[in-house]
Structure formats: structure tokens, C-alpha cells
């Protein structure tokens, strides 16, 4: 089963798909890549909107595309890309933002140098009962952090990582993603698809690059760990494969 853990394809809710037509075009394109399941993960900025208002907006956005969904489209599940905030992300809030059918929260880190407060905040969230952390596109924080500093985020218990398929296209970014993979920091893939005009890599492109660049065992480990996240397996069990 191929899973896209990160997308902004619901219409008009964030800086992703602009309208129903664009959402459906993206889904048409995705259906040709063999992806089975796509999590719709609109941005949730805790300082901008209440979680209940966010859920209502997400419900409405999804409702708009339902009449146009076709059998060939990938299965959709709801989620959110939750911007890290140590003070505002309580367990009650996170409970409502999990990737549907799992205890995983797709957590977006700030694009600044991580402070001790950031590390402690992530560890606190990962420690919460019934909450598991999937860090969104771990390679993107290298703008302000070293590889070691990003990897330090993932040293805690109950924390997994996702990379964007588009980051595998360019040599430099790909090299950095490969380093994360080699260090056991990547268990999930995503397109982080926003607008068609931006030309994102879809899941099949990311997968064919990984197939070429990784050993068969390392490649299969990522596919299997993705499935296990969608099945809500324990983090330790996923890291053990
Ligand atoms: Fe995103």
C-alpha cells in the first residue's frame, strides 16, 4: 500500500488547492501514480484559529469535493499539518488533529534555529498519552539547523519522520534526505502538494528515485513503515523493522 502522508489538496482552506476543480485535477493526477491512500493535511496554526473552527472548515472543504470523487481516486483520510507550539498544543487539541485512524500528529517545526524549548516541546508532545509524533518534512528545517540538530529532534521516544518527494529531485536535497534515511529518521513519504502550477513531485517520482538510490532492504523498510503508521502500530515496532 502506498501512502501520501502530507498534502494540501482540500479546496480553499489554506495555501493549497484553490478550488474544487484544482482539487479534483490533483486527485486525477495522483490516481495515475498508484498511491492508495492520501492524508489531507491542511495547515493548522494554533495561534490563528480554534481547533473546532479548523475542523469545521476542513469538514466543509472535504464536503465540497465529495460529489466529484471517483472510484479511481486514492482513498482520502483527514489530518492536519500542525505547527509546533509548546503552549497551545494541549492533549485535548492534539486529540482532534491526529491523522485519521491513528494516534499520529503530523507536526511542523518552526523554520528557525531550534531552541532547547523546541526540543523539550516535541518531547513533551511525544510523551502525552495516546499521542505519537510524525515530524513533517524533516529536510526542510536544514535552512536553519544542521543535520545533527534536526536528528536530535528525533532522538526522543515516539517520534518518526516524513520527507517530501520533491526534495528527492535535486542532488543536494536528495543527498541530505538520504543521510536522514541512513540514520533511521525517515519512516514516511509525502508530496506536500499545494498548487498544480508549482510542479510538485508526486509519490511515484519519489518512490522511483528511492528505489534507484537505496538498497532494496532500505527501500522496503520505508514502504513497510508507512503502512505501519497508517495501521497505527507502535513506534518501537515500526523502528524495529
Ligand atoms: Fe505542508
Amino acid at each position: 500500500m502506498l501512502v501520501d502522508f502530507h498534502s494540501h489538496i482540500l479546496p480553499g482552506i489554506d495555501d493549497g488547492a484553490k478550488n474544487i476543480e484544482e482539487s479534483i485535477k490533483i486527485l486525477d493526477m495522483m490516481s495515475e501514480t498508484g498511491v492508495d491512500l492520501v492524508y489531507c493535511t491542511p495547515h493548522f496554526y494554533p495561534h490563528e484559529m480554534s481547533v473546532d473552527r479548523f475542523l469545521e472548515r476542513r469538514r466543509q472543504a472535504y464536503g465540497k469535493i465529495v460529489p466529484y470523487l471517483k472510484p479511481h481516486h486514492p482513498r482520502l483520510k483527514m489530518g492536519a499539518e500542525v505547527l509546533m507550539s509548546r503552549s497551545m498544543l494541549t492533549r485535548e487539541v492534539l486529540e482532534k488533529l491526529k491523522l485519521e485512524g491513528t494516534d499520529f500528529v503530523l507536526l511542523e517545526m518552526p523554520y528557525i534555529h531550534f531552541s532547547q524549548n523546541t526540543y523539550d516541546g516535541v518531547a513533551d508532545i511525544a510523551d502525552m498519552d495516546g499521542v505519537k509524533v510524525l515530524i513533517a518534512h524533516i529536510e526542510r528545517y536544514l535552512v536553519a539547523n544542521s543535520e545533527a540538530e534536526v536528528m536530535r529532534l528525533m532522538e526522543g521516544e515516539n517520534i518518526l519522520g516524513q520527507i517530501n518527494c520533491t526534495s528527492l529531485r535535486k542532488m543536494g536535497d536528495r543527498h541530505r534526505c538520504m543521510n536522514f534515511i541512513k540514520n533511521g529518521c525517515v519512516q514516511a513519504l509525502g508530496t506536500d502538494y499545494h498548487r498544480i502550477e508549482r510542479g510538485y513531485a508526486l509519490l511515484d517520482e519519489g518512490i522511483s528515485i528511492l528505489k534507484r538510490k537505496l538498497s532494496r532492504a532500505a527501500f522496503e523498510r520505508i514502504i513497510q513503515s508507512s503502512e505501519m503508521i497508517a495501521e497505527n502500530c507502535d513506534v518501537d515496532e515500526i523502528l524495529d523493522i
Side-chain angles (χ1 to χ4, degrees):
M1 178 171 72
L2 297 183
V3 188
D4 181 348
F5 282 93
H6 189 156
S7 74
H8 301 269
I9 58 175
L10 293 181
I13 184 169
D14 58 7
D15 55 344
K18 203 172 168 189
N19 50 36
I20 298 170
E21 192 189 358
E22 186 168 19
S23 298
I24 299 302
K25 263 191 197 156
I26 297 169
L27 285 170
D28 286 341
M29 284 157 50
M30 285 182 163
S31 67
E32 285 169 24
T33 68
V35 61
D36 299 288
L37 170 62
V38 178
Y39 286 92
C40 302
T41 56
H43 289 285
F44 174 70
Y45 298 122
H47 49 284
E48 281 183 7
M49 195 182 290
S50 74
V51 68
D52 291 328
R53 172 89 185 110
F54 169 80
L55 294 181
E56 177 56 22
R57 292 193 65 221
R58 191 183 67 183
R59 193 187 64 76
Q60 286 176 8
Y62 176 61
K64 284 183 192 164
I65 59 169
V66 166
Y68 304 96
L69 294 178
K70 299 279 183 318
H72 67 266
H73 287 151
R75 198 151 49 98
L76 300 181
K77 286 192 175 182
M78 295 301 115
E81 180 179 9
V82 182
L83 184 64
M84 176 63 193
S85 159
R86 201 176 178 189
S87 57
M88 301 184 85
L89 297 178
T90 61
R91 189 171 165 240
E92 290 66 35
V93 167
L94 292 171
E95 195 60 47
K96 297 176 177 179
L97 295 169
K98 291 172 173 179
L99 299 175
E100 187 180 338
T102 81
D103 290 327
F104 285 93
V105 173
L106 183 68
L107 197 63
E108 179 184 32
M109 305 307 297
Y111 301 92
I112 52 172
H113 188 246
F114 299 151
S115 63
Q116 189 55 45
N117 192 45
T118 311
Y119 290 109
D120 293 344
V122 173
D124 283 353
I125 289 175
D127 262 354
M128 289 177 186
D129 266 354
V131 176
K132 304 172 192 171
V133 173
L134 179 61
I135 306 272
H137 41 53
I138 56 171
E139 76 283 8
R140 288 195 52 201
Y141 313 114
L142 294 171
V143 289
N145 297 276
S146 67
E147 284 183 3
E149 285 165 335
V150 176
M151 284 185 208
R152 213 186 120 199
L153 265 189
M154 329 244 343
E155 277 172 9
E157 307 244 320
N158 236 6
I159 302 169
L160 300 178
Q162 174 256 316
I163 55 169
N164 284 351
C165 292
T166 305
S167 301
L168 293 166
R169 266 185 184 160
K170 282 196 203 149
M171 217 163 61
D173 291 343
R174 181 194 305 155
H175 180 74
R176 289 182 269 277
C177 287
M178 291 298 159
N179 267 347
F180 282 132
I181 293 172
K182 278 179 201 144
N183 282 282
C185 297
V186 180
Q187 289 75 31
L189 304 173
T191 56
D192 200 2
Y193 209 102
H194 283 72
R195 305 292 315 279
I196 291 176
E197 65 200 20
R198 295 197 207 157
Y200 291 89
L202 289 169
L203 212 67
D204 56 343
E205 186 176 340
I207 280 176
S208 82
I209 295 167
L210 290 179
K211 234 182 202 166
R212 277 203 319 270
K213 299 287 174 187
L214 292 175
S215 68
R216 192 173 163 166
F219 171 75
E220 284 177 357
R221 208 174 298 131
I222 292 185
I223 301 298
Q224 197 187 339
S225 57
S226 301
E227 290 176 356
M228 291 174 81
I229 295 170
E231 289 164 4
N232 198 29
C233 294
D234 285 342
V235 167
D236 286 346
E237 207 183 316
I238 295 170
L239 290 174
D240 263 359
I241 57 171

